[in-house]
Amino acid sequence: MGNRTILFDIHNQMGARIVPFGGWDMPLHYGSQLEEHHAVRRVAGMFDVCHMTVVDLSGDRVRDFLRHLLANDVARLQQPGKALYSCMLNEQGGVIDDLIVYFMSDSWFRMVVNAGTTEKDVAWLNRQAPEFGVTVTPRRDLAMIAVQGPQARNKALPLLPEALREPAAGLKPFFAATADDWFVGRTGYTGEDGFEVVMPEDQAVAFWQALADAGVQPCGLGARDTLRLEAGMNLYGSDMDENVSPLEAGLNWTIAWEPADRAFIGRTAIEAHRDDPANRQFVGLVLSGRGVLRNHQKLFVADQEVGEITSGGFAPTLEKSIALARLAPEVSGQCEVEIRGKRIPARIVRPPFVRNGKALVEL
Amino acid sequence: MSNVPNDLKYAKSHEWVRDEEDGTVFVGITEHAQEMLGDLVFVELPELGATLEAGSECAVVESVKAASDVYSPVSGEVIAINEALADAPETVNQDAFGDGWLFQVKLSAPAELDELLDAEAYTEVMEAEAH
């Protein structure tokens, strides 16, 4: 038996099929992964993301600490509530985790890290923090629910504590607001508008139920994965990990090279490869022939192996198979994917595939 | 617990067999199997005329999340495949024991049918897996 979130019982009541996931027993779907996917693209869906960890960082030098810790630069965060996506690198330039960090005040930043990496993340944070006098507090007392879709905010707003409704309604994308122990970020992992809502654990079941009563579809990890793949967002452990440079995982845009004297962890290692023409490209694929793209399938041009799919699957919005892949730098246009011994043609595209319900790639 | 018709035979690997009593059988995957797989998005069937051996991989059903092998419960020649599944793989989810059939085989060893499970024995297999 894995760890269970506070929502485990209500998932079962709502008919979830539970599967083990990174040490947790989590809902895969509640009947149909496809219907859940479409609910998020068309109306609103919600995800139990309590298995991810909220980590609060506090201290007078917390900003300096994060400018040292993260490849993206929190100096960009000037307005309270503003969020930033970043990689946390090791000294060799490998990705320890990808995360979102929210600037709450000059002495408080909030981070949300992946479930499977929480333990090593917290250990790493605790190793780096003392030098800056920063306190690292994993908030295991908090629950988190993501509400996503074109109607997600409308449906969620009236259900928030009164003090938070107005600030939450006024949030711009990638901003957060907080009141007491509730916290709302206009962020997510599906390519749709929505909120990520953090609340005291003992209020999570009632909030989940209220969202369901408001017509928000409970969604499992299955839909979460097809949605994020269509949105072209990286999945930790598949698209990148400690053995892959962010330069080869489509994450160049998250590295703040300026100012040149900001010595973030891993900088020296990746800077040496910054403009290396040998870096593999990180691309999207759309399968032209029939079949389904899956992780680790090999890519070919003529008889030359040129790369590998890092995460692939069926895209319900596009009704096509798509993938993210790492590919030799010289390849463009087309390649072939080996599926069970056969070579099937695929088109190389630039992710994302879908944003705000609309296809962004030619089909 | 899923529906398990009494007039079919079953393999432990979750295929069903319908004996046409003319030396041929239809083969599909069970309702339980499609439930476990979830929404199917692609089905790869054996070639017409292919020779199958009982217990060997002969088709693939892919759900949104994963690909899964289908094993032939019998030996023989593939004399029909369900071509409608190319455009509508979800038929397997909707009607696993009927319109969602996968292929038809002309038996080369009819005695193999006696080795297959009846509905009761297959139900036990399903129940054992659930625990």
Side-chain angles (χ1 to χ4, degrees):
Chain A
M1 193 178 89
N3 295 311
R4 291 176 169 182
T5 77
I6 195 74
L7 297 169
F8 181 81
D9 289 338
I10 197 165
H11 292 321
N12 276 318
Q13 285 163 30
M14 290 184 171
R17 177 155 167 233
I18 302 287
V19 292
F21 177 83
W24 293 80
D25 289 341
M26 296 299 290
L28 180 63
H29 60 72
Y30 300 77
S32 169
Q33 175 176 339
L34 287 179
E35 279 170 29
E36 289 160 28
H37 180 107
H38 293 314
V40 173
R41 287 274 179 258
R42 294 166 187 165
V43 190
M46 58 180 166
F47 302 86
D48 176 1
V49 281
C50 297
H51 59 315
M52 298 179 72
T53 307
V54 174
V55 183
D56 282 336
L57 306 163
S58 53
D60 292 342
R61 293 180 64 206
V62 64
R63 191 183 283 270
D64 291 341
F65 167 67
L66 287 166
R67 296 194 73 203
H68 171 68
L69 185 83
L70 301 178
N72 210 340
D73 189 357
V74 296
R76 293 172 173 179
L77 304 180
Q78 292 301 327
Q79 283 175 273
K82 180 74 179 137
L84 184 77
Y85 173 71
S86 181
C87 289
M88 178 161 75
L89 305 180
N90 60 26
E91 298 286 1
Q92 294 73 43
V95 183
I96 296 175
D97 201 1
D98 66 327
L99 52 88
I100 289 183
V101 61
Y102 301 86
F103 163 46
M104 303 314 294
S105 76
D106 285 332
S107 59
W108 172 32
F109 282 68
R110 169 164 282 184
M111 217 181 233
V112 178
V113 304
N114 279 303
T117 52
T118 294
E119 226 166 287
K120 73 168 185 178
D121 289 355
V122 171
W124 180 256
L125 290 170
N126 277 323
R127 216 170 102 196
Q128 311 298 336
E131 197 189 321
F132 293 85
V134 165
T135 308
V136 177
T137 314
R139 296 294 304 271
R140 310 208 193 269
D141 55 320
L142 299 178
M144 182 154 69
I145 295 172
V147 195
Q148 302 273 290
Q151 292 182 35
R153 289 192 308 132
N154 280 346
K155 288 185 184 292
L157 277 170
L159 307 174
L160 294 172
E162 207 176 337
L164 197 51
R165 277 177 215 161
E166 211 181 294
L171 285 177
K172 285 183 280 182
F174 245 66
F175 272 86
T178 189
D180 301 319
D181 264 339
W182 282 68
F183 169 97
V184 177
R186 194 170 169 188
T187 47
Y189 196 47
T190 60
E192 299 297 329
D193 197 4
F195 284 147
E196 292 181 295
V197 185
V198 172
M199 72 218 81
E201 218 177 38
D202 61 3
Q203 298 179 54
V205 173
F207 185 61
W208 180 271
Q209 183 65 59
L211 286 166
D213 294 343
V216 179
Q217 167 74 48
C219 299
L221 295 172
R224 189 167 166 82
D225 193 50
T226 49
L227 289 158
R228 76 87 202 162
L229 180 61
E230 286 186 342
M233 292 170 176
N234 288 41
L235 173 63
Y236 191 84
S238 292
D239 300 310
M240 77 291 202
D241 57 35
E242 288 191 32
N243 301 310
V244 175
S245 156
L247 299 173
E248 294 189 311
L251 294 170
N252 313 39
W253 66 276
T254 71
I255 301 164
W257 299 105
E258 301 296 333
D261 62 352
R262 186 176 66 95
F264 62 85
I265 300 171
R267 176 170 192 140
T268 312
I270 59 168
E271 198 152 36
H273 298 284
R274 185 174 168 182
D275 298 309
D276 191 340
N279 285 344
R280 291 167 294 174
Q281 347 167 38
F282 191 75
V283 299
L285 298 177
V286 178
L287 191 64
S288 315
R290 297 174 41 76
V292 183
L293 299 175
R294 303 287 184 191
N295 302 10
H296 306 306
Q297 286 170 346
K298 305 270 188 243
L299 309 178
F300 290 84
V301 169
D303 278 337
Q304 190 80 31
E305 189 179 323
V306 294
E308 185 179 296
I309 287 178
T310 52
S311 58
F314 179 77
T317 307
L318 307 175
E319 299 192 312
K320 288 265 178 187
S321 193
I322 60 171
L324 297 172
R326 236 185 304 284
L327 191 59
E330 69 280 4
V331 181
S332 66
Q334 291 265 349
C335 65
E336 289 186 317
V337 187
E338 189 169 282
I339 304 179
R340 291 185 289 274
K342 287 184 215 154
R343 304 265 170 91
I344 317 277
R347 222 154 32 78
I348 299 166
V349 300
R350 197 190 155 128
F353 304 89
V354 178
R355 193 49 59 85
N356 295 322
K358 294 198 175 59
L360 298 185
V361 292
E362 223 176 283
L363 297 176
Chain B
M1 196 54 66
S2 311
N3 178 32
V4 182
N6 273 321
D7 56 341
L8 302 177
K9 300 224 169 188
Y10 301 89
K12 271 187 195 158
S13 46
H14 305 290
E15 293 83 11
W16 57 260
V17 173
R18 188 172 79 219
D19 188 357
E20 294 295 292
E21 295 179 354
D22 59 356
T24 76
V25 298
F26 282 87
V27 176
I29 63 168
T30 65
E31 197 172 291
H32 173 69
Q34 67 75 25
E35 240 165 52
M36 298 303 289
L37 288 165
D39 302 295
L40 292 190
V41 293
F42 181 65
V43 177
E44 187 176 302
L45 296 171
E47 304 269 330
L48 261 183
T51 305
L52 305 182
E53 262 179 69
S56 63
E57 296 164 17
C58 65
V60 180
V61 286
E62 299 214 34
S63 69
V64 187
K65 196 68 192 135
S68 196
D69 290 321
V70 176
Y71 300 86
S72 182
V74 293
S75 305
E77 184 194 336
V78 177
I79 58 167
I81 56 173
N82 189 352
E83 282 166 9
L85 298 182
D87 293 324
E90 66 276 11
T91 310
V92 177
N93 296 113
Q94 292 153 1
D95 190 10
F97 293 120
D99 290 344
W101 65 278
L102 300 180
F103 52 91
Q104 186 182 12
V105 181
K106 187 174 175 198
L107 300 170
S108 59
E112 283 170 357
L113 292 181
D114 302 331
E115 314 278 314
L116 295 172
L117 308 173
D118 60 16
E120 192 181 343
Y122 178 66
T123 302
E124 278 171 30
V125 168
M126 275 175 11
E127 277 167 3
E129 276 185 11
H131 297 297

